[in-house]
Amino acid sequence: MDSLFFLFTGAAMTNILDIKNLNKSYNGIPALKNVSLSVRAGEIHGIVGANGSGKTTLMNILFGNPVIRETGGYQGEIYYEGVSLKTKNSTEIIGLGIGMVHQEFALIPDMTIGENIKLGREETNRFTDRLFGKKYSFVDRKKNDLNAESALKKLGVNVDIGVKIINLSTNTRQFVEIAREIARADLKLLLLDEPTAVLSRDDASNLLEDLTELSQGGLGILFVSHRLEEIQQICDRATVLREGEVISQYGRGEVSTTKLARDMIGHTVSKAMAKKRAIEPRPLVSFQQYSVEMPGEEIRGMDLDIFEGEILGLAGLSGHGKSALGYGIMGMYPATGEVVYENMKIDRMDAKANILKGMYVLPDDRQALGILPDHSLAENIIFTGDQIKGLFSMNFGLPFLGFLDKRKVYDHVHQLVDDFEIRCTSVKQKIRELSGGNQQKVCIARALTVNPRLLFVAEPTRGIDISAKEKILKMLIDINRSRHTTIVIASSELDELKRVCDRIAVMVEGRIFKVLQPDSSDVEFALALAGEEGTDYDA
Amino acid sequence: MTHDRIRTPQIIIIIFLVILLIMAYILHMDLVVLFNESLIKLVMNGVLALALIPMLNVGAGMNFGLPVGIVGGLVGLCIAVNFRLTGFPGFFASLLFSLIICVVFGWLYGLLLNRVKGREEIAGTFIGFSIIPLMNYFWTLAPFQNRQMLYPIGGQGLRPKIGLDPYFYNVLDNFCMIKISGFEIPLGLLAFYGLLCLFLYLFFRTKVGRAIIATGENEAFSRLSGIDISKIRLIAIILSTVFAGIGICVYSQSYGFIQLYDEPLSMAFPAISAVLIGGSTGRRTWIFEAVLGTYLLQTIYLLTVPIANEILIPELTEILRTFITYSIILYALLYRDRRRIVY
């Protein structure tokens, strides 16, 4: 990595990336309008914007994504160190010294961390280099791994370099992905598209520190993120996009979350806030020695009482089991231990049986588990209620028929679409065409159709822009207050949990470590999350 | 149910078809006769193509194990012929026997496929390959009595080709045949096919049918919603197998022979090409796609035979036919949407 450092010391504070009057439209619908911005060597330039503001389009253009060319290219100029990028494809762009970290992982699951980081740039044996040429030379594993390890060390990650990607948590994968880019000796500009979206709070803040360090070494970074605090924390400059236009640009010292938030959505957001109240400690469900074998998120012998009518928060770092609770009950992963629900022991972790008993789970991975992407909004809302409870089926006397009662469906769906302000062209629109926030609303609407007594929600606001976030949280509070639905929210957004929940249970290593009040201090939470006893001991 | 665009394979096939039609016209072939025959060919092969739909929709891919159902149907046909049942009673008896046998076969096949989730296509291919030699034993050893089915010499074991002429040859083809100035519309045959399509259409609107489609689209979602995935897959696979059984009954009554031994082996491929030509991408498939695909493919087969005979060496037809079938499958395998892989 010495060479990397050497390269950067000489770099002056000139623009390495210049975007001038960029315009792009898809089928006549403008996605970017006159966007201009620049990145200097050694600076972090933040880009914020709500969903649909053009961030992804901008990144796609910079990445040289073929989608752009297929949809008619773009107008305007992009210069990288004085070279126009217009006619370049992805490979050529990478060759120029631009590194990219995408939202989706581009790692090979069956190769080790070291192999992935050095893929295509392996250190080779010098003797066989001369014998067979560089291309067919033997890989010097030792040197290779050392090199990869130093890149990971730079990011402050300590993992065995020989572990295969397939065995890693999402968090670590993200770090490997970034390590792969910074292990390149010729890297001068790094494009990061929501690198912290899949990370837990702790890991995200580690990553931010690493990025600051890298930029001080002379690397230019273009950083796209939803999380405004991150932008404020690390960016030297920030650009706010709204509906494809540059709304504002802030220089060093001017970046603040409130300004960014205002510019981003065009108005101020009122935050969801639940009133404090006393909950009668009558358990609706209690878990004893409950374990779930969800790989990477195991619960190991948890004891927990969930009180009737409360909103319980589940906090914890990723990998400590907070998202596995609901999955275990629905039989998605093998679960053991005792669960008593309404004074009855639940012996079978079976989705159908437990939905009928009044439990429902909204998953954290919305795309993979939460929606039927090619089905309509209406079909997504009614699916579970119809399949399990037969709410919308017409049988004509034959129980196996179950044709859809379309009028009943549409009445129900229209009602919910109005109530929740789900933005769509019609209830027949395919759900994958909706934004993340609206998809989440559809998921909640589906849960309401089933009308559960106990609702598990995991990461309800993940990947959703800030104004929609607050709406989702308000919806959850409303449901709890008006329908007396007991809600368990597992989330890595501690701030949100503190605003919404009646109690917050902190999970450490698959067990409940401590149950805190939402108004407990940040220090208490930080200690609990780290698994350290604070000053006051729980009995 | 809208399709945003016609894909490359359909364009190529339609252009090919138009060229063939023009050539047929130039060579003074009787286009009316060809048209009449194309309707028969549609239904003859169309039911086998329909049989692929339930498995495609449940997310189990192309049913390369179609021979399982076909063999079940053949057993049904043989039983009907063994009892010397003729006409419609014979045909419907063969359907009934096939149905019963295919439910059992489909159930076993489904249990197997549920254990190889995600690799159903290759597993199906080899299940198809292995059931053929097994059934070859059955055909030689089964105690069928009808002399017309058995080898003339020795009187033991079924013949490779059993003529249906004395039993129910063309009974459906000729039912309600309407003849108007050279055109012969096999109304009964088309109605039978239409009924099967309607059955499938309605089936996918029932609760189970909707669960099948949802499972095909996102299995994890279905599981979290309390759907019993194994059961739903089993239902779809059994339905697929039963349709294959019905398909071979329709095929045989049209063709005039029950073809045993190694014949069922390659019967899955034209059906699969047909569905692919219709526009299926190996995932959810509409009935319309299966019907359209079968019609296009079979009409091309129909046209190539006389044209190739006329202008090329006659043997070339079979070569062309096989080439078209397999290259379409290959094309689809190359360009289909990759299934989502979750680590």
Side-chain angles (χ1 to χ4, degrees):
Chain A
M1 283 293 76
D2 293 358
S3 53
L4 182 73
F5 187 69
F6 182 72
L7 246 170
F8 288 150
T9 43
M13 288 295 275
T14 47
N15 288 346
I16 49 172
L17 183 73
D18 255 317
I19 300 173
K20 284 183 184 147
N21 301 324
L22 193 61
N23 279 290
K24 164 78 197 154
S25 56
Y26 293 105
N27 304 321
I29 302 158
L32 288 176
K33 296 175 228 162
N34 264 327
V35 172
S36 300
L37 57 90
S38 61
V39 183
R40 298 189 194 110
E43 94 169 335
I44 303 181
H45 192 129
I47 293 181
V48 281
N51 291 339
S53 61
K55 286 176 305 189
T56 313
T57 309
L58 179 62
M59 278 300 174
N60 277 339
I61 290 175
L62 290 173
F63 285 161
N65 192 325
V67 166
I68 300 295
R69 199 166 301 171
E70 283 161 17
T71 52
Y74 59 86
Q75 292 80 49
E77 282 303 327
I78 301 175
Y79 290 104
Y80 169 74
E81 294 194 312
V83 184
S84 171
L85 292 186
K86 198 150 201 171
T87 55
K88 302 266 190 289
N89 63 27
S90 258
T91 328
E92 289 165 333
I93 289 175
I94 292 169
L96 289 171
I98 302 181
M100 312 166 183
V101 177
H102 299 257
Q103 260 174 316
E104 312 86 51
F105 296 112
L107 298 169
I108 299 172
D110 278 327
M111 288 173 88
T112 67
I113 297 177
E115 285 166 339
N116 262 290
I117 290 178
K118 295 296 290 177
L119 191 66
R121 299 186 296 270
E122 288 87 353
E123 305 287 334
T124 47
N125 186 302
R126 206 175 291 168
F127 175 67
T128 50
D129 268 1
R130 216 167 305 154
L131 207 57
F132 307 122
K134 186 102 179 150
K135 236 177 168 173
Y136 299 100
S137 177
F138 282 115
V139 173
D140 188 341
R141 285 195 84 96
K142 236 183 190 167
K143 222 165 136 192
N144 218 23
D145 283 356
L146 263 171
N147 202 313
E149 208 167 353
S150 79
L152 270 176
K153 278 248 172 68
K154 262 194 164 173
L155 294 174
V157 184
N158 265 319
V159 279
D160 181 358
I161 214 84
V163 175
K164 283 184 181 171
I165 295 294
I166 197 167
N167 298 321
L168 295 180
S169 67
T170 345
N171 270 350
T172 325
R173 284 188 203 188
Q174 181 77 65
F175 279 105
V176 172
E177 182 113 0
I178 294 167
R180 190 185 56 199
E181 296 306 321
I182 65 166
R184 289 168 49 185
D186 62 342
L187 187 72
K188 283 178 233 165
L189 177 66
L190 186 58
L191 308 178
L192 297 168
D193 192 5
E194 304 269 6
T196 55
V198 294
L199 297 184
S200 66
R201 276 278 145 133
D202 256 31
D203 289 330
S205 73
N206 281 342
L207 178 64
L208 297 184
E209 279 169 35
D210 299 334
L211 292 178
T212 318
E213 243 168 74
L214 284 169
S215 80
Q216 277 157 5
L219 185 66
I221 298 176
L222 194 62
F223 182 79
V224 175
S225 179
H226 261 117
R227 297 183 178 170
L228 302 179
E229 317 88 78
E230 293 175 352
I231 302 282
Q232 184 187 11
Q233 194 186 332
I234 65 162
C235 291
D236 300 303
R237 289 193 292 166
T239 299
V240 183
L241 290 178
R242 191 170 78 222
E243 284 159 14
E245 283 180 279
V246 174
I247 295 299
S248 53
Q249 281 183 317
Y250 295 103
R252 186 182 280 280
E254 297 173 344
V255 184
S256 82
T257 47
T258 41
K259 278 193 229 164
L260 292 178
R262 191 197 54 217
D263 293 346
M264 200 169 126
I265 51 169
H267 56 87
T268 46
V269 222
S270 66
K271 292 205 162 181
M273 198 66 157
K275 281 205 190 91
K276 226 180 129 62
R277 56 184 178 161
I279 292 285
E280 204 182 319
R282 191 156 44 85
L284 174 68
V285 60
S286 44
F287 295 93
Q288 259 137 43
Q289 283 303 306
Y290 181 67
S291 301
V292 180
E293 285 171 45
M294 174 176 175
E297 280 279 321
E298 290 92 352
I299 295 184
R300 305 184 181 90
M302 180 181 88
D303 298 311
L304 175 68
D305 285 338
I306 297 166
F307 301 145
E308 191 158 2
E310 75 170 338
I311 301 184
L312 176 75
L314 274 186
L317 304 179
S318 65
H320 288 254
K322 65 174 180 306
S323 34
L325 184 59
Y327 289 152
I329 288 188
M330 289 294 144
M332 296 295 277
Y333 297 100
T336 52
E338 203 178 73
V339 183
V340 178
Y341 173 75
E342 291 189 307
N343 303 322
M344 278 201 311
K345 215 179 129 183
I346 288 184
D347 38 10
R348 223 156 49 94
M349 300 302 164
D350 173 72
K352 186 173 180 178
N354 289 339
I355 290 171
L356 283 171
K357 282 183 183 133
M359 296 181 234
Y360 196 66
V361 173
L362 288 180
D364 56 345
D365 193 343
R366 207 167 39 241
Q367 295 302 326
L369 296 159
I371 56 169
L372 288 170
D374 283 326
H375 277 60
S376 74
L377 184 146
E379 286 166 317
N380 265 283
I381 288 180
I382 59 144
F383 187 81
T384 316
D386 180 46
Q387 288 289 339
I388 303 304
K389 293 194 162 177
L391 294 175
F392 303 96
S393 295
M394 297 188 291
N395 287 327
F396 308 112
L398 299 164
F400 54 84
L401 272 182
F403 290 110
L404 262 191
D405 185 343
K406 291 231 166 111
R407 243 183 69 198
K408 209 166 160 192
V409 170
Y410 288 128
D411 285 351
H412 177 79
V413 171
H414 280 300
Q415 178 75 35
L416 284 169
V417 167
D418 289 346
D419 285 358
F420 293 165
E421 296 167 11
I422 300 173
R423 253 183 275 164
C424 55
T425 54
S426 99
V427 295
K428 288 181 183 167
Q429 193 179 8
K430 280 186 184 174
I431 192 169
R432 64 158 173 209
E433 294 166 3
L434 301 184
S435 70
N438 283 315
Q439 288 180 356
Q440 186 65 287
K441 286 181 190 171
V442 169
C443 290
I444 296 176
R446 187 175 64 241
L448 281 193
T449 309
V450 185
N451 199 12
R453 289 193 62 192
L454 175 60
L455 177 63
F456 293 89
V457 191
E459 304 289 355
T461 57
R462 180 182 276 177
I464 292 174
D465 64 62
I466 47 172
S467 60
K469 252 181 199 179
E470 299 305 324
K471 273 188 200 142
I472 300 277
L473 293 175
K474 277 179 195 155
M475 272 167 76
L476 291 174
I477 299 173
D478 273 358
I479 292 164
N480 172 262
R481 300 296 194 265
S482 61
R483 297 179 178 234
H484 306 289
T485 309
T486 309
I487 301 181
V488 180
I489 305 176
S491 173
S492 37
E493 306 286 332
L494 194 56
D495 156 66
E496 291 174 13
L497 289 181
K498 284 166 94 171
R499 285 191 276 127
V500 174
C501 298
D502 297 301
R503 296 189 302 154
I504 298 172
V506 179
M507 291 192 71
V508 176
E509 287 176 352
R511 280 181 212 93
I512 300 295
F513 181 72
K514 217 174 204 184
V515 178
L516 294 167
Q517 292 304 311
D519 50 7
S520 306
S521 70
D522 285 344
V523 181
E524 272 178 279
F525 273 109
L527 283 172
L529 285 169
E532 311 252 350
E533 288 294 344
T535 39
D536 54 329
Y537 286 88
D538 266 13
Chain B
M1 240 201 243
T2 49
H3 292 279
D4 359 320
R5 64 207 159 99
I6 296 178
R7 297 180 196 84
T8 331
Q10 281 95 306
I11 295 173
I12 296 170
I13 290 296
I14 289 171
I15 290 173
F16 191 44
L17 189 59
V18 169
I19 293 172
L20 286 175
L21 274 174
I22 293 169
M23 284 172 74
Y25 182 76
I26 293 170
L27 294 170
H28 302 293
M29 285 175 191
D30 195 341
L31 290 181
V32 174
V33 171
L34 284 173
F35 173 77
N36 293 342
E37 211 163 320
S38 77
L39 290 179
I40 304 248
K41 288 272 183 194
L42 166 68
V43 183
M44 189 171 159
N45 296 281
V47 185
L48 286 172
L50 285 182
L52 298 170
I53 292 179
M55 268 181 68
L56 281 164
N57 283 358
V58 86
M62 293 289 174
N63 187 2
F64 279 95
L66 209 60
V68 177
I70 293 177
V71 158
L74 289 175
V75 177
L77 281 166
C78 287
I79 295 173
V81 169
N82 186 50
F83 294 127
R84 296 188 167 81
L85 301 170
T86 57
F88 269 111
F91 179 64
F92 283 113
S94 72
L95 285 186
L96 184 71
F97 293 136
S98 306
L99 186 106
I100 296 163
I101 293 158
C102 285
V103 167
V104 177
F105 277 22
W107 180 66
L108 292 171
Y109 179 43
L111 289 182
L112 254 168
L113 285 194
N114 273 348
R115 304 192 62 158
V116 291
K117 242 186 232 172
R119 304 186 301 276
E120 292 92 346
E121 293 185 347
I122 191 73
T125 310
F126 282 92
I127 292 170
F129 279 152
S130 44
I131 198 165
I132 297 295
L134 258 176
M135 290 310 288
N136 284 352
Y137 275 104
F138 177 80
W139 305 130
T140 41
L141 299 177
F144 286 109
Q145 299 295 323
N146 188 341
R147 292 284 315 173
Q148 276 165 316
M149 302 166 71
L150 304 177
Y151 270 117
I153 303 163
Q156 259 221 328
L158 293 174
R159 299 174 191 186
K161 257 187 169 184
I162 300 167
L164 284 177
D165 222 352
Y167 305 102
F168 38 82
Y169 172 51
N170 273 356
V171 54
L172 200 57
D173 289 17
N174 293 334
F175 180 59
C176 283
M177 176 82 83
I178 293 180
K179 291 180 186 172
I180 315 164
S181 62
F183 283 101
E184 292 178 355
I185 315 287
L187 216 56
L189 188 69
L190 290 175
F192 182 77
Y193 186 49
L195 275 177
L196 287 177
C197 289
L198 182 71
F199 171 81
L200 261 193
Y201 175 84
L202 290 176
F203 173 75
F204 283 115
R205 256 140 207 82
T206 63
K207 203 155 127 184
V208 175
R210 292 197 303 274
I212 285 179
I213 291 169
T215 305
E217 192 173 312
N218 187 345
E219 191 184 308
F221 173 92
S222 280
R223 201 142 65 94
L224 194 60
S225 291
I227 304 281
D228 185 345
I229 301 293
S230 311
K231 195 178 105 190
I232 287 294
R233 283 169 53 98
L234 208 54
I235 291 173
I237 292 166
I238 290 175
L239 188 66
S240 197
T241 311
V242 166
F243 259 72
I246 297 174
I248 195 64
C249 291
V250 175
Y251 183 93
S252 300
Q253 70 81 31
S254 232
Y255 185 64
F257 294 96
I258 304 175
Q259 294 173 290
L260 301 177
Y261 299 97
D262 286 348
E263 277 304 315
L265 195 59
S266 54
M267 286 192 129
F269 300 117
I272 289 169
S273 323
V275 171
L276 290 169
I277 287 176
S280 165
T281 51
R283 304 289 285 172
R284 185 167 184 190
T285 302
W286 305 97
I287 294 162
F288 172 75
E289 290 173 333
V291 177
L292 175 77
T294 313
Y295 191 76
L296 287 177
L297 183 70
Q298 292 303 328
T299 310
I300 283 169
Y301 282 174
L302 195 67
L303 286 171
T304 42
V305 181
I307 290 173
N309 279 341
E310 194 95 3
I311 58 174
L312 301 164
I313 33 168
E315 286 76 21
L316 208 66
T317 27
E318 195 52 37
I319 298 173
L320 265 179
R321 214 183 255 225
T322 329
F323 177 72
I324 295 170
T325 313
Y326 290 131
S327 52
I328 285 163
I329 295 177
L330 188 61
Y331 176 89
L333 290 174
L334 282 171
Y335 290 102
R336 77 155 62 164
D337 306 338
R338 286 269 199 100
R339 292 216 206 167
R340 185 159 49 175
I341 301 166
V342 184
Y343 296 109

